[in-house]
Amino acid sequence: MYFKRFAQLFVIFLIAGAILTAIFSTNFTGNTILTFFVALIVAYAVLTLPLVVLTIAKAKKKANIVGTQTADGELSAILQTLPGYIALSVLDAQGKSSTTIMSFIQATKQENIFYMVADKEASKVRDLKGNDKVSFTTWFDDLNGGARLSSNQATVEVFEGAGNSELIAHEPNILSIHENAVNMAIIKLTIHSVLYENFKDGLKVLQY
């Protein structure tokens, strides 16, 4: 948990506690136990509703940031119509495939490079370190267009520690995925070729 979120939670907690105390002190029902439960319910609502609103707002903000931020290139133009999430698949040491839904940000100068962020201790990070060949697919844009990108011709590189600061200085948009990216594992996905599917236009292969 980061200081900003801790401060938000602490303020909400204090407000909820003050409301509970204020309601309970009035004993407006004439029954101490009943008044306590009413105060508890109101305080709980005051405590949880702002948290729900903050979580939804953060998710919406992230959804508007991730994906592509550049208008140059055919791949970038396609990405602008798609959600900023991919299903990333990798083989572990035993040859078993695992798939993870991840948000990404496109590199500002190379449209065939995506960046993602994950916990250093996550199993997917360990698998990616052991096998740099991955596959992925994006979400369909909608049922009308049916646009989607997919590839099994992609490789990854995992950055940790001191190299993260230099990478973020080069690609500051990485912080849009996670504000603490410097202390996490940064995953660089390089696409060598990708298949573009569309209900209207059919299939197209983009090579890099």
Side-chain angles (χ1 to χ4, degrees):
M1 184 183 298
Y2 311 109
F3 179 77
K4 180 180 178 181
R5 178 51 62 91
F6 174 81
Q8 291 172 337
L9 294 177
F10 187 69
V11 170
I12 294 171
F13 171 76
L14 290 178
I15 293 173
I19 290 174
L20 186 150
T21 303
I23 295 176
F24 181 68
S25 64
T26 64
N27 195 19
F28 68 96
T29 66
N31 184 309
T32 302
I33 296 177
L34 179 60
T35 301
F36 174 76
F37 277 108
V38 172
L40 190 63
I41 291 172
V42 174
Y44 181 75
V46 171
L47 180 64
T48 57
L49 287 178
L51 298 181
V52 173
V53 172
L54 287 172
T55 301
I56 293 175
K58 184 176 181 179
K60 287 184 176 180
K61 181 180 178 180
K62 185 175 182 179
N64 292 329
I65 292 174
V66 298
T68 181
Q69 300 295 313
T70 176
D72 297 329
E74 187 173 11
L75 180 60
S76 298
I78 295 171
L79 287 173
Q80 288 178 8
T81 67
L82 300 173
Y85 301 90
I86 62 173
L88 183 69
S89 298
V90 61
L91 296 178
D92 62 16
Q94 287 72 43
K96 295 180 180 179
S97 176
S98 60
T99 301
T100 306
I101 307 301
M102 303 189 70
S103 55
F104 71 91
I105 195 79
Q106 187 186 28
T108 53
K109 296 181 179 180
Q110 292 178 274
E111 64 171 354
N112 66 316
I113 292 179
F114 299 168
Y115 291 100
M116 296 161 284
V117 174
D119 190 300
K120 292 179 181 179
E121 305 302 322
S123 58
K124 61 190 171 189
V125 172
R126 182 179 64 250
D127 294 339
L128 290 170
K129 289 179 180 178
N131 182 6
D132 67 348
K133 295 180 175 60
V134 298
S135 60
F136 74 89
T137 182
T138 62
W139 294 147
F140 282 109
D141 57 348
D142 54 53
L143 293 178
N144 293 322
R148 184 180 69 165
L149 291 166
S150 60
S151 175
N152 59 6
Q153 298 295 319
T155 55
V156 296
E157 185 177 358
V158 178
F159 294 85
E160 292 179 339
N164 285 10
S165 297
E166 183 178 350
L167 185 59
I168 291 173
H170 181 67
E171 290 286 350
N173 284 337
I174 293 174
L175 294 175
S176 300
I177 307 174
H178 202 293
E179 59 189 8
N180 195 39
V182 68
N183 296 314
M184 302 177 72
I186 299 177
I187 302 165
K188 178 182 178 181
L189 172 71
T190 301
I191 302 169
H192 306 289
S193 69
V194 63
L195 176 66
Y196 174 56
E197 303 172 75
N198 186 294
F199 290 163
K200 179 180 179 181
D201 300 326
L203 305 178
K204 180 185 294 185
V205 176
L206 304 179
Q207 298 281 357
Y208 297 95

